[in-house]
Amino acid sequence: MSPPVFLAATDALERGSVVLDGPEGRHAATVRRLRPGERVDLTDGAGLLAECVVADAGRASLTLDVLARRRQPPPSPRIVVVQALPKGDRGELAVETMTEAGVDEIVPWSAARCVTQWRPERREKALGRWRGAAREAGKQARRSRLPEVAGLASTGDVAGRVAAASLALVLHEDADAPLSAVEPPAEGDIVVVVGPEGGITEEELERLAGAGGRPTRLGPTVLRTSTAGVAAAAVLLAKTGRW
């Protein structure tokens, strides 16, 4: 079984011995009950991973000896999913599954037909839940490079990302071109736009297509907005050779 993964600062991982304290240390010592001699991996979430062994266990911290270090290079091409805000807790579910699959960046999108809208006074809290879901799912998936969860995007922001991408795909059930037929680029950003429960409006579709987005059909069935992103990412990760 793979060793558990915890987050630590980059400078701490450069040392021969690391004290893991704070929330991560408490979780490792009191919840996981890790003991001397057990293996643990530490990561800064930006690609650096330290393979460690527990030297000493306190009530709310661990002292770890670093055995080896390795750095994961930035992925190429990057998979970026623009996720329209789902209702309820399905947003966190979408973030969790896309993180586990290997998506590199998740962009919450306030699309016109989103049932859920992040009001200004609640926006930071909602964004914090998405980022927390990505962090915990990244640790669960043993990722040394965690996905970025960007700030809330407007349709104009999304159009800008589409225009700057090496390839931009807008998932749409009425599109003629299937995702399986798309040839992905070798580098740059592949941006996948996932609409809300009510669908992408004609105005949004025209704006994104005008910026270079290609309407693409994911498959013969209609997926929920919270599962379409991970399904599309799986196809692209396989076609780019990252899986």
Side-chain angles (χ1 to χ4, degrees):
M1 182 177 178
S2 301
V5 175
F6 296 94
L7 294 171
T10 303
D11 58 348
L13 300 188
E14 301 290 352
R15 304 169 192 152
S17 179
V18 180
V19 175
L20 183 67
D21 52 14
E24 293 289 280
R26 284 193 296 274
H27 183 74
T30 64
V31 178
R32 296 299 300 265
R33 298 181 181 274
L34 296 170
R35 294 294 178 259
E38 294 190 79
R39 278 273 290 109
V40 173
D41 284 345
L42 299 181
T43 180
D44 62 355
L48 178 61
L49 185 138
E51 300 174 1
C52 305
V53 63
V54 179
D56 184 62
R59 293 182 61 185
S61 66
L62 298 179
T63 300
L64 305 157
D65 290 335
V66 177
L67 305 176
R69 298 179 188 85
R70 50 189 169 90
R71 184 176 291 277
Q72 179 189 29
S76 185
R78 293 175 74 243
I79 307 296
V80 179
V81 176
V82 175
Q83 174 67 60
L85 303 178
K87 59 186 176 182
D89 60 358
R90 291 187 178 275
E92 288 94 311
L93 173 63
V95 171
E96 287 175 2
T97 54
M98 287 190 285
T99 298
E100 291 169 4
V103 168
D104 303 297
E105 185 176 3
I106 300 165
V107 182
W109 174 33
S110 183
R113 290 177 177 165
C114 285
V115 175
T116 296
Q117 293 291 342
W118 289 355
R119 298 190 300 274
E121 66 274 14
R122 299 178 61 85
R123 187 171 299 168
E124 287 306 312
K125 184 176 181 180
L127 186 57
R129 288 198 298 269
W130 280 38
R131 288 174 173 165
R135 182 176 61 252
E136 295 307 313
K139 289 161 57 178
Q140 173 67 31
R142 275 56 170 182
R143 288 184 61 167
S144 60
R145 189 176 291 276
L146 301 183
E148 177 185 354
V149 178
L152 183 65
S154 65
T155 299
D157 297 329
V158 175
R161 283 182 173 268
V162 165
S166 296
L167 172 67
L169 306 170
V170 182
L171 300 185
H172 198 278
E173 61 191 79
D174 293 331
D176 294 326
L179 180 59
S180 59
V182 171
E183 288 300 323
E187 56 186 24
D189 282 1
I190 300 175
V191 173
V192 180
V193 180
V194 180
E197 286 93 350
I200 297 175
T201 68
E202 286 299 319
E203 181 181 354
E204 288 169 336
L205 187 60
E206 289 175 6
R207 188 167 185 182
L208 297 176
R214 295 164 51 180
T216 308
R217 187 179 71 255
L218 185 54
T221 59
V222 178
L223 277 68
R224 290 181 181 271
T225 183
S226 55
T227 54
V230 70
V235 174
L236 292 168
L237 286 163
K239 289 181 72 68
T240 57
R242 288 183 51 186
W243 268 17

